Amino acid sequence: MRELKNKYTYLSISIGLTVVYLLWSVIFSQNDSVRTTGGNILSLISVTLAFIWLLPAVKLRSEDRGLWCWLLFGTGSIVLAEVIWFTYETMLGQAVPYPGLPDVFYLLQLFGYLMAVGYKVVHPDRKYSFVKFLLDLLIIMVVTISLAWYYLIEPLVFDGDMHLFEIVVSVIYPVGDLLLLFGLIMIFYLSSYVHLNKALRLLSIGVFIQIIADVSYLVMTIHFDYVSNNWVDPLFSLAAMVIASSFYFRENTNAIKQQAPIKKRARHYILPYVNVFLLIVLLIVDERKDSLLLIGAVITFILVIIRQVFVILENHYLVQAYEKKAMALAISEQRYKSLFDYHPDAVFSIDSTGYFTDVNDVVCDWFQAPKAQLVGRYSLDVLLVSDRKQLIDDRPAFYQGE
């Protein structure tokens, strides 16, 4: 696909299509057939455009290629889900089964997005970072599911309004979005450079829009208020297009990495433990004495312990790597020192202002002066007056190594 000259055009197209979709849903709110057909077509066009916008990610050669390729995979899954939805509702005129085949591809979309975030969070030089990332996701997922069970799923199951499987599938979407949001927050905290922020802001906006859409869809499904192509459906399409648009807001990482200082981030370690603390507090004040809530707390506690083990292992690995590099540096310095001190010719080093910073024994013999007397002395002072002018004239060529 030919890239548009102005990257903001992608956002304009996204907003424009969403406005058209919303207007269509409002104008034809009383005509189910027209609203459904037009809405499905607009939804399919929107997600297909998002997929096409991300296709150039396949040709990338930068370190962020994995991030954008996983987002491409997720967006392609949405396209397949929308095609199946369009086939059921528009071509066959049948109600889309829920949960059904489209939900498989919607969940694959979440999987692709989570893998994209995980690819960026995992540090290539840290062998345990991927396991820690997965454990962080599991901790948040267990806590979220426990809270969802306590406040949402259990009351609905006992009331008999919905089947348990339908509720679980509905809850998976916002839970997956929360995991995705957590991953983006970790990228912000772990990122040493500012160059990712513009693209990440758009990614975060897209995720926020999807969270709003998923939560609204969940509430409507629970209360049996959802109708196809109402005001919620355009938000799903908008989220996909905004996430795809962020691809064109990435910047040259190599140029910025040389200028930006490394910043240490520590706040991302707190979030999993805050989740555990909230679950423990809820367990203490629980009046229903819910057994599943207790199971969730126990699982979370075990995951925290396992995570701490991997933190210790990673720290041990980093200490070993540091010691190896320190030893290699010491050996390198010793070799340089040996070559410098025992070289048969006169060897010395001077700073940019012309003062000696080090000399070997041959130089000391030349000038009949100890090393302590020469180091820190202006180099021209030790030369004959007749030789100084020649050295000053030859200084440009001397600095160039000639």
Side-chain angles (χ1 to χ4, degrees), residues 205-258:
I205 291 171
V207 171
F208 272 121
I209 295 171
Q210 184 157 316
I211 289 175
I212 294 171
D214 278 333
V215 171
S216 302
Y217 178 78
L218 172 61
V219 172
M220 290 180 178
T221 303
I222 290 174
H223 295 285
F224 301 98
D225 293 334
Y226 175 77
V227 290
S228 183
N229 293 291
N230 61 7
W231 64 271
V232 173
D233 291 331
L235 296 181
F236 289 109
S237 303
L238 177 62
M241 288 188 289
V242 170
I243 290 172
S245 300
S246 65
F247 174 76
Y248 297 93
F249 287 82
R250 71 197 191 283
E251 299 177 13
N252 185 3
T253 61
N254 295 327
I256 302 176
K257 278 185 178 180
Q258 297 175 354

CSV table of all heavy atoms in Angstrom, one decimal, residues 205-258:
chain,number,residue,atom,x,y,z
A,205,ILE,N,-4.6,5.0,23.6
A,205,ILE,CA,-6.0,5.6,23.3
A,205,ILE,C,-6.8,4.5,22.7
A,205,ILE,O,-8.0,4.3,23.0
A,205,ILE,CB,-5.8,6.8,22.4
A,205,ILE,CG1,-5.2,8.0,23.2
A,205,ILE,CG2,-7.2,7.2,21.8
A,205,ILE,CD1,-4.8,9.2,22.3
A,206,GLY,N,-6.2,3.8,21.7
A,206,GLY,CA,-7.0,2.7,21.1
A,206,GLY,C,-7.4,1.6,22.0
A,206,GLY,O,-8.5,1.1,22.0
A,207,VAL,N,-6.5,1.3,23.0
A,207,VAL,CA,-6.9,0.3,24.0
A,207,VAL,C,-8.0,0.8,24.9
A,207,VAL,O,-8.9,0.1,25.3
A,207,VAL,CB,-5.6,-0.1,24.8
A,207,VAL,CG1,-6.0,-1.0,26.0
A,207,VAL,CG2,-4.6,-0.9,23.9
A,208,PHE,N,-7.9,2.1,25.3
A,208,PHE,CA,-9.0,2.7,26.2
A,208,PHE,C,-10.3,2.6,25.5
A,208,PHE,O,-11.3,2.3,26.1
A,208,PHE,CB,-8.6,4.1,26.5
A,208,PHE,CG,-7.8,4.3,27.7
A,208,PHE,CD1,-6.5,4.9,27.7
A,208,PHE,CD2,-8.2,3.8,29.0
A,208,PHE,CE1,-5.7,5.0,28.8
A,208,PHE,CE2,-7.4,3.9,30.1
A,208,PHE,CZ,-6.2,4.5,30.0
A,209,ILE,N,-10.3,3.0,24.2
A,209,ILE,CA,-11.6,2.9,23.4
A,209,ILE,C,-12.1,1.5,23.4
A,209,ILE,O,-13.3,1.3,23.5
A,209,ILE,CB,-11.3,3.4,22.0
A,209,ILE,CG1,-11.0,4.9,22.0
A,209,ILE,CG2,-12.6,3.2,21.1
A,209,ILE,CD1,-10.5,5.5,20.6
A,210,GLN,N,-11.2,0.5,23.2
A,210,GLN,CA,-11.7,-0.9,23.2
A,210,GLN,C,-12.2,-1.3,24.5
A,210,GLN,O,-13.1,-2.1,24.6
A,210,GLN,CB,-10.5,-1.8,22.7
A,210,GLN,CG,-10.9,-3.2,22.6
A,210,GLN,CD,-10.0,-4.0,21.6
A,210,GLN,OE1,-9.6,-3.5,20.6
A,210,GLN,NE2,-9.6,-5.2,22.0
A,211,ILE,N,-11.6,-0.9,25.6
A,211,ILE,CA,-12.0,-1.2,27.0
A,211,ILE,C,-13.5,-0.7,27.2
A,211,ILE,O,-14.3,-1.4,27.7
A,211,ILE,CB,-11.1,-0.6,28.0
A,211,ILE,CG1,-9.8,-1.4,28.0
A,211,ILE,CG2,-11.7,-0.7,29.4
A,211,ILE,CD1,-8.7,-0.9,29.0
A,212,ILE,N,-13.7,0.6,26.7
A,212,ILE,CA,-15.0,1.2,26.9
A,212,ILE,C,-16.0,0.4,26.1
A,212,ILE,O,-17.1,0.1,26.5
A,212,ILE,CB,-15.0,2.6,26.4
A,212,ILE,CG1,-14.2,3.5,27.3
A,212,ILE,CG2,-16.4,3.2,26.3
A,212,ILE,CD1,-13.9,4.9,26.8
A,213,ALA,N,-15.6,0.0,24.8
A,213,ALA,CA,-16.5,-0.8,24.0
A,213,ALA,C,-16.8,-2.2,24.6
A,213,ALA,O,-18.0,-2.6,24.7
A,213,ALA,CB,-16.0,-1.0,22.6
A,214,ASP,N,-15.8,-2.9,25.1
A,214,ASP,CA,-15.9,-4.2,25.7
A,214,ASP,C,-16.8,-4.2,27.0
A,214,ASP,O,-17.7,-5.0,27.1
A,214,ASP,CB,-14.6,-4.8,26.0
A,214,ASP,CG,-14.0,-5.5,24.7
A,214,ASP,OD1,-14.7,-5.9,23.8
A,214,ASP,OD2,-12.7,-5.5,24.7
A,215,VAL,N,-16.5,-3.2,27.8
A,215,VAL,CA,-17.3,-3.1,29.1
A,215,VAL,C,-18.8,-2.8,28.8
A,215,VAL,O,-19.7,-3.4,29.3
A,215,VAL,CB,-16.7,-2.1,30.0
A,215,VAL,CG1,-17.6,-1.8,31.2
A,215,VAL,CG2,-15.3,-2.5,30.5
A,216,SER,N,-19.0,-1.9,27.8
A,216,SER,CA,-20.4,-1.5,27.4
A,216,SER,C,-21.1,-2.7,26.8
A,216,SER,O,-22.3,-3.0,27.1
A,216,SER,CB,-20.4,-0.4,26.4
A,216,SER,OG,-19.7,0.7,26.9
A,217,TYR,N,-20.4,-3.5,26.0
A,217,TYR,CA,-20.9,-4.7,25.4
A,217,TYR,C,-21.3,-5.7,26.4
A,217,TYR,O,-22.3,-6.4,26.4
A,217,TYR,CB,-19.9,-5.3,24.4
A,217,TYR,CG,-20.4,-6.5,23.7
A,217,TYR,CD1,-21.3,-6.5,22.7
A,217,TYR,CD2,-19.9,-7.8,24.1
A,217,TYR,CE1,-21.7,-7.7,22.1
A,217,TYR,CE2,-20.3,-9.0,23.5
A,217,TYR,CZ,-21.2,-8.9,22.5
A,217,TYR,OH,-21.7,-10.1,21.9
A,218,LEU,N,-20.4,-5.9,27.5
A,218,LEU,CA,-20.6,-6.8,28.5
A,218,LEU,C,-21.9,-6.4,29.3
A,218,LEU,O,-22.7,-7.3,29.6
A,218,LEU,CB,-19.4,-6.8,29.5
A,218,LEU,CG,-19.6,-7.6,30.8
A,218,LEU,CD1,-19.8,-9.1,30.5
A,218,LEU,CD2,-18.3,-7.5,31.6
A,219,VAL,N,-22.0,-5.1,29.7
A,219,VAL,CA,-23.2,-4.7,30.4
A,219,VAL,C,-24.5,-4.9,29.6
A,219,VAL,O,-25.5,-5.4,30.1
A,219,VAL,CB,-23.0,-3.2,30.8
A,219,VAL,CG1,-24.3,-2.7,31.4
A,219,VAL,CG2,-21.9,-3.0,31.8
A,220,MET,N,-24.4,-4.6,28.3
A,220,MET,CA,-25.6,-4.8,27.5
A,220,MET,C,-26.0,-6.2,27.3
A,220,MET,O,-27.2,-6.6,27.3
A,220,MET,CB,-25.4,-4.2,26.1
A,220,MET,CG,-25.3,-2.6,26.0
A,220,MET,SD,-25.0,-2.0,24.4
A,220,MET,CE,-25.1,-0.3,24.7
A,221,THR,N,-24.9,-7.1,27.2
A,221,THR,CA,-25.2,-8.5,27.1
A,221,THR,C,-25.8,-9.1,28.3
A,221,THR,O,-26.8,-9.9,28.3
A,221,THR,CB,-23.9,-9.3,26.8
A,221,THR,OG1,-23.3,-8.7,25.6
A,221,THR,CG2,-24.2,-10.7,26.6
A,222,ILE,N,-25.3,-8.6,29.5
A,222,ILE,CA,-25.9,-9.1,30.8
A,222,ILE,C,-27.3,-8.7,30.9
A,222,ILE,O,-28.2,-9.5,31.4
A,222,ILE,CB,-25.0,-8.6,31.9
A,222,ILE,CG1,-23.6,-9.3,31.9
A,222,ILE,CG2,-25.7,-8.8,33.3
A,222,ILE,CD1,-22.7,-8.7,32.9
A,223,HIS,N,-27.6,-7.5,30.5
A,223,HIS,CA,-29.0,-7.0,30.7
A,223,HIS,C,-29.9,-7.2,29.5
A,223,HIS,O,-31.0,-6.7,29.4
A,223,HIS,CB,-29.0,-5.5,31.0
A,223,HIS,CG,-28.3,-5.2,32.3
A,223,HIS,ND1,-28.9,-5.4,33.5
A,223,HIS,CD2,-27.1,-4.7,32.7
A,223,HIS,CE1,-28.2,-5.0,34.5
A,223,HIS,NE2,-27.0,-4.6,34.0
A,224,PHE,N,-29.3,-8.0,28.5
A,224,PHE,CA,-30.1,-8.3,27.3
A,224,PHE,C,-30.5,-7.1,26.5
A,224,PHE,O,-31.6,-7.1,25.9
A,224,PHE,CB,-31.3,-9.2,27.6
A,224,PHE,CG,-30.9,-10.5,28.3
A,224,PHE,CD1,-31.0,-10.6,29.7
A,224,PHE,CD2,-30.5,-11.6,27.6
A,224,PHE,CE1,-30.7,-11.8,30.3
A,224,PHE,CE2,-30.1,-12.8,28.2
A,224,PHE,CZ,-30.2,-12.9,29.6
A,225,ASP,N,-29.7,-6.0,26.5
A,225,ASP,CA,-30.0,-4.8,25.8
A,225,ASP,C,-29.3,-4.6,24.5
A,225,ASP,O,-29.5,-3.7,23.8
A,225,ASP,CB,-29.7,-3.6,26.7
A,225,ASP,CG,-30.6,-3.5,27.9
A,225,ASP,OD1,-31.7,-4.0,27.8
A,225,ASP,OD2,-30.2,-2.9,29.0
A,226,TYR,N,-28.4,-5.6,24.2
A,226,TYR,CA,-27.5,-5.4,23.0
A,226,TYR,C,-28.3,-5.7,21.8
A,226,TYR,O,-29.0,-6.8,21.6
A,226,TYR,CB,-26.3,-6.3,23.1
A,226,TYR,CG,-25.4,-6.2,21.8
A,226,TYR,CD1,-24.6,-5.2,21.6
A,226,TYR,CD2,-25.5,-7.3,20.9
A,226,TYR,CE1,-23.9,-5.1,20.5
A,226,TYR,CE2,-24.7,-7.2,19.7
A,226,TYR,CZ,-23.9,-6.1,19.5
A,226,TYR,OH,-23.2,-6.0,18.4
A,227,VAL,N,-28.2,-4.8,20.8
A,227,VAL,CA,-28.7,-5.0,19.4
A,227,VAL,C,-27.6,-4.8,18.5
A,227,VAL,O,-26.7,-3.9,18.7
A,227,VAL,CB,-29.9,-4.1,19.1
A,227,VAL,CG1,-31.1,-4.6,19.9
A,227,VAL,CG2,-29.6,-2.7,19.3
A,228,SER,N,-27.5,-5.5,17.4
A,228,SER,CA,-26.4,-5.4,16.5
A,228,SER,C,-26.3,-4.0,15.9
A,228,SER,O,-27.3,-3.4,15.5
A,228,SER,CB,-26.5,-6.4,15.4
A,228,SER,OG,-25.4,-6.4,14.5
A,229,ASN,N,-25.0,-3.5,15.8
A,229,ASN,CA,-24.7,-2.2,15.1
A,229,ASN,C,-25.4,-1.0,15.9
A,229,ASN,O,-25.9,-0.1,15.2
A,229,ASN,CB,-25.1,-2.2,13.7
A,229,ASN,CG,-24.3,-3.1,12.8
A,229,ASN,OD1,-23.1,-2.9,12.6
A,229,ASN,ND2,-24.9,-4.2,12.4
A,230,ASN,N,-25.4,-1.1,17.2
A,230,ASN,CA,-25.8,0.1,17.9
A,230,ASN,C,-24.6,1.0,18.1
A,230,ASN,O,-23.5,0.8,17.5
A,230,ASN,CB,-26.4,-0.3,19.3
A,230,ASN,CG,-25.5,-1.1,20.2
A,230,ASN,OD1,-24.3,-1.2,19.9
A,230,ASN,ND2,-26.0,-1.6,21.3
A,231,TRP,N,-24.6,1.9,19.1
A,231,TRP,CA,-23.5,2.9,19.2
A,231,TRP,C,-22.2,2.3,19.7
A,231,TRP,O,-21.1,2.9,19.6
A,231,TRP,CB,-23.9,4.0,20.2
A,231,TRP,CG,-24.1,3.5,21.6
A,231,TRP,CD1,-25.3,3.1,22.2
A,231,TRP,CD2,-23.2,3.4,22.7
A,231,TRP,NE1,-25.1,2.7,23.5
A,231,TRP,CE2,-23.8,2.9,23.8
A,231,TRP,CE3,-21.8,3.7,22.7
A,231,TRP,CZ2,-23.2,2.7,25.0
A,231,TRP,CZ3,-21.1,3.5,23.9
A,231,TRP,CH2,-21.8,3.0,25.0
A,232,VAL,N,-22.2,1.1,20.2
A,232,VAL,CA,-21.0,0.4,20.7
A,232,VAL,C,-20.1,-0.1,19.6
A,232,VAL,O,-18.9,0.0,19.7
A,232,VAL,CB,-21.4,-0.7,21.7
A,232,VAL,CG1,-20.1,-1.5,22.1
A,232,VAL,CG2,-22.1,-0.2,23.0
A,233,ASP,N,-20.7,-0.7,18.6
A,233,ASP,CA,-20.0,-1.3,17.5
A,233,ASP,C,-19.0,-0.4,16.8
A,233,ASP,O,-17.9,-0.8,16.5
A,233,ASP,CB,-20.9,-2.0,16.5
A,233,ASP,CG,-21.7,-3.2,17.1
A,233,ASP,OD1,-21.1,-3.8,18.0
A,233,ASP,OD2,-22.8,-3.5,16.7
A,234,PRO,N,-19.4,0.9,16.5
A,234,PRO,CA,-18.4,1.7,15.9
A,234,PRO,C,-17.1,2.0,16.7
A,234,PRO,O,-16.1,2.2,16.2
A,234,PRO,CB,-19.1,3.1,15.7
A,234,PRO,CG,-20.6,2.7,15.7
A,234,PRO,CD,-20.7,1.5,16.6
A,235,LEU,N,-17.2,1.8,18.1
A,235,LEU,CA,-16.1,2.0,18.9
A,235,LEU,C,-15.0,0.9,18.7
A,235,LEU,O,-13.8,1.1,18.8
A,235,LEU,CB,-16.5,2.0,20.4
A,235,LEU,CG,-17.4,3.2,20.8
A,235,LEU,CD1,-17.7,3.1,22.3
A,235,LEU,CD2,-16.7,4.5,20.5
A,236,PHE,N,-15.5,-0.4,18.4
A,236,PHE,CA,-14.6,-1.4,18.1
A,236,PHE,C,-13.8,-1.1,16.9
A,236,PHE,O,-12.6,-1.3,16.8
A,236,PHE,CB,-15.4,-2.8,18.0
A,236,PHE,CG,-15.9,-3.3,19.2
A,236,PHE,CD1,-17.3,-3.3,19.5
A,236,PHE,CD2,-15.1,-3.8,20.2
A,236,PHE,CE1,-17.8,-3.8,20.6
A,236,PHE,CE2,-15.6,-4.4,21.4
A,236,PHE,CZ,-17.0,-4.4,21.6
A,237,SER,N,-14.5,-0.7,15.8
A,237,SER,CA,-13.8,-0.3,14.6
A,237,SER,C,-12.8,0.8,14.8
A,237,SER,O,-11.7,0.8,14.3
A,237,SER,CB,-14.8,0.1,13.5
A,237,SER,OG,-15.8,-1.0,13.3
A,238,LEU,N,-13.2,1.8,15.6
A,238,LEU,CA,-12.4,3.0,15.8
A,238,LEU,C,-11.1,2.6,16.6
A,238,LEU,O,-10.0,3.0,16.3
A,238,LEU,CB,-13.1,4.0,16.7
A,238,LEU,CG,-12.3,5.3,17.1
A,238,LEU,CD1,-11.8,6.1,15.8
A,238,LEU,CD2,-13.2,6.2,18.0
A,239,ALA,N,-11.2,1.7,17.6
A,239,ALA,CA,-10.1,1.2,18.3
A,239,ALA,C,-9.1,0.5,17.4
A,239,ALA,O,-7.9,0.8,17.5
A,239,ALA,CB,-10.5,0.2,19.4
A,240,ALA,N,-9.6,-0.3,16.5
A,240,ALA,CA,-8.7,-1.0,15.6
A,240,ALA,C,-7.9,-0.1,14.6
A,240,ALA,O,-6.7,-0.2,14.4
A,240,ALA,CB,-9.5,-2.0,14.7
A,241,MET,N,-8.7,1.0,14.2
A,241,MET,CA,-8.0,1.9,13.2
A,241,MET,C,-7.0,2.8,14.0
A,241,MET,O,-6.0,3.2,13.4
A,241,MET,CB,-9.1,2.8,12.6
A,241,MET,CG,-9.9,2.0,11.5
A,241,MET,SD,-11.0,3.1,10.5
A,241,MET,CE,-12.3,3.4,11.8
A,242,VAL,N,-7.3,3.2,15.2
A,242,VAL,CA,-6.4,4.1,16.0
A,242,VAL,C,-5.1,3.3,16.3
A,242,VAL,O,-4.0,3.8,16.1
A,242,VAL,CB,-7.1,4.6,17.3
A,242,VAL,CG1,-6.0,5.2,18.2
A,242,VAL,CG2,-8.2,5.6,16.9
A,243,ILE,N,-5.3,2.0,16.7
A,243,ILE,CA,-4.1,1.2,16.9
A,243,ILE,C,-3.3,1.0,15.7
A,243,ILE,O,-2.0,1.1,15.7
A,243,ILE,CB,-4.5,-0.2,17.5
A,243,ILE,CG1,-5.1,0.0,18.9
A,243,ILE,CG2,-3.4,-1.2,17.5
A,243,ILE,CD1,-5.7,-1.2,19.5
A,244,ALA,N,-3.9,0.8,14.5
A,244,ALA,CA,-3.2,0.7,13.3
A,244,ALA,C,-2.5,2.0,12.9
A,244,ALA,O,-1.4,2.0,12.3
A,244,ALA,CB,-4.1,0.2,12.2
A,245,SER,N,-3.2,3.1,13.1
A,245,SER,CA,-2.6,4.5,12.8
A,245,SER,C,-1.3,4.8,13.5
A,245,SER,O,-0.5,5.5,13.1
A,245,SER,CB,-3.7,5.6,13.1
A,245,SER,OG,-4.8,5.4,12.3
A,246,SER,N,-1.2,4.2,14.8
A,246,SER,CA,0.0,4.5,15.6
A,246,SER,C,1.2,4.0,14.9
A,246,SER,O,2.3,4.5,15.2
A,246,SER,CB,-0.2,3.8,16.9
A,246,SER,OG,-0.2,2.4,16.8
A,247,PHE,N,1.1,3.0,13.9
A,247,PHE,CA,2.3,2.5,13.2
A,247,PHE,C,3.0,3.7,12.5
A,247,PHE,O,4.2,3.6,12.4
A,247,PHE,CB,1.8,1.5,12.2
A,247,PHE,CG,2.9,1.0,11.3
A,247,PHE,CD1,3.9,0.1,11.7
A,247,PHE,CD2,3.0,1.4,10.0
A,247,PHE,CE1,4.9,-0.4,10.9
A,247,PHE,CE2,3.9,1.0,9.1
A,247,PHE,CZ,4.9,0.1,9.6
A,248,TYR,N,2.3,4.7,12.0
A,248,TYR,CA,2.9,5.7,11.2
A,248,TYR,C,3.4,6.9,12.1
A,248,TYR,O,3.8,7.9,11.6
A,248,TYR,CB,1.8,6.3,10.2
A,248,TYR,CG,1.5,5.2,9.2
A,248,TYR,CD1,0.3,4.4,9.4
A,248,TYR,CD2,2.2,4.9,8.1
A,248,TYR,CE1,0.0,3.3,8.6
A,248,TYR,CE2,1.9,3.9,7.2
A,248,TYR,CZ,0.8,3.1,7.5
A,248,TYR,OH,0.5,2.1,6.6
A,249,PHE,N,3.3,6.7,13.4
A,249,PHE,CA,3.8,7.8,14.3
A,249,PHE,C,5.0,7.3,15.0
A,249,PHE,O,5.5,8.0,15.9
A,249,PHE,CB,2.7,8.1,15.4
A,249,PHE,CG,1.6,9.0,14.8
A,249,PHE,CD1,0.5,8.4,14.1
A,249,PHE,CD2,1.6,10.3,14.9
A,249,PHE,CE1,-0.5,9.1,13.6
A,249,PHE,CE2,0.6,11.1,14.4
A,249,PHE,CZ,-0.5,10.5,13.7
A,250,ARG,N,5.6,6.1,14.6
A,250,ARG,CA,6.8,5.7,15.2
A,250,ARG,C,7.9,6.6,14.6
A,250,ARG,O,7.8,7.2,13.6
A,250,ARG,CB,7.1,4.2,14.9
A,250,ARG,CG,7.4,4.0,13.4
A,250,ARG,CD,7.3,2.5,13.0
A,250,ARG,NE,7.8,2.3,11.7
A,250,ARG,CZ,7.2,2.6,10.6
A,250,ARG,NH1,6.1,3.2,10.6
A,250,ARG,NH2,7.8,2.4,9.4
A,251,GLU,N,9.1,6.6,15.3
A,251,GLU,CA,10.2,7.5,14.9
A,251,GLU,C,11.4,6.6,14.8
A,251,GLU,O,11.5,5.5,15.2
A,251,GLU,CB,10.4,8.6,15.9
A,251,GLU,CG,9.2,9.5,16.0
A,251,GLU,CD,9.3,10.6,17.1
A,251,GLU,OE1,10.5,10.8,17.5
A,251,GLU,OE2,8.3,11.2,17.4
A,252,ASN,N,12.5,7.3,14.3
A,252,ASN,CA,13.8,6.6,14.1
A,252,ASN,C,14.4,6.4,15.4
A,252,ASN,O,14.8,7.3,16.1
A,252,ASN,CB,14.7,7.5,13.2
A,252,ASN,CG,16.0,6.8,12.9
A,252,ASN,OD1,16.2,5.6,13.3
A,252,ASN,ND2,16.9,7.5,12.2
A,253,THR,N,14.5,5.1,15.8
A,253,THR,CA,15.0,4.8,17.2
A,253,THR,C,16.5,5.0,17.3
A,253,THR,O,17.0,5.3,18.3
A,253,THR,CB,14.6,3.3,17.5
A,253,THR,OG1,15.2,2.4,16.6
A,253,THR,CG2,13.1,3.2,17.5
A,254,ASN,N,17.2,4.7,16.2
A,254,ASN,CA,18.7,4.7,16.3
A,254,ASN,C,19.2,6.1,16.5
A,254,ASN,O,20.2,6.3,17.2
A,254,ASN,CB,19.3,4.1,15.0
A,254,ASN,CG,19.0,2.7,14.8
A,254,ASN,OD1,18.9,2.0,15.8
A,254,ASN,ND2,18.8,2.2,13.6
A,255,ALA,N,18.6,7.1,15.9
A,255,ALA,CA,19.1,8.5,16.0
A,255,ALA,C,18.8,9.0,17.4
A,255,ALA,O,19.6,9.8,18.0
A,255,ALA,CB,18.4,9.4,15.0
A,256,ILE,N,17.7,8.6,18.0
A,256,ILE,CA,17.3,9.2,19.3
A,256,ILE,C,18.0,8.4,20.4
A,256,ILE,O,18.3,9.0,21.5
A,256,ILE,CB,15.8,9.1,19.5
A,256,ILE,CG1,15.2,9.9,18.4
A,256,ILE,CG2,15.4,9.7,20.8
A,256,ILE,CD1,13.7,9.9,18.4
A,257,LYS,N,18.3,7.2,20.2
A,257,LYS,CA,19.0,6.4,21.3
A,257,LYS,C,20.3,7.0,21.7
A,257,LYS,O,20.7,6.9,22.8
A,257,LYS,CB,19.2,4.9,20.9
A,257,LYS,CG,17.9,4.1,21.0
A,257,LYS,CD,18.2,2.7,20.7
A,257,LYS,CE,17.0,1.8,20.9
A,257,LYS,NZ,17.2,0.4,20.6
A,258,GLN,N,21.1,7.6,20.7
A,258,GLN,CA,22.4,8.1,21.0
A,258,GLN,C,22.3,9.4,21.9
A,258,GLN,O,23.2,9.8,22.5
A,258,GLN,CB,23.1,8.4,19.7
A,258,GLN,CG,23.3,7.2,18.9
A,258,GLN,CD,23.9,7.5,17.5
A,258,GLN,OE1,24.1,8.6,17.1
A,258,GLN,NE2,24.3,6.5,16.8
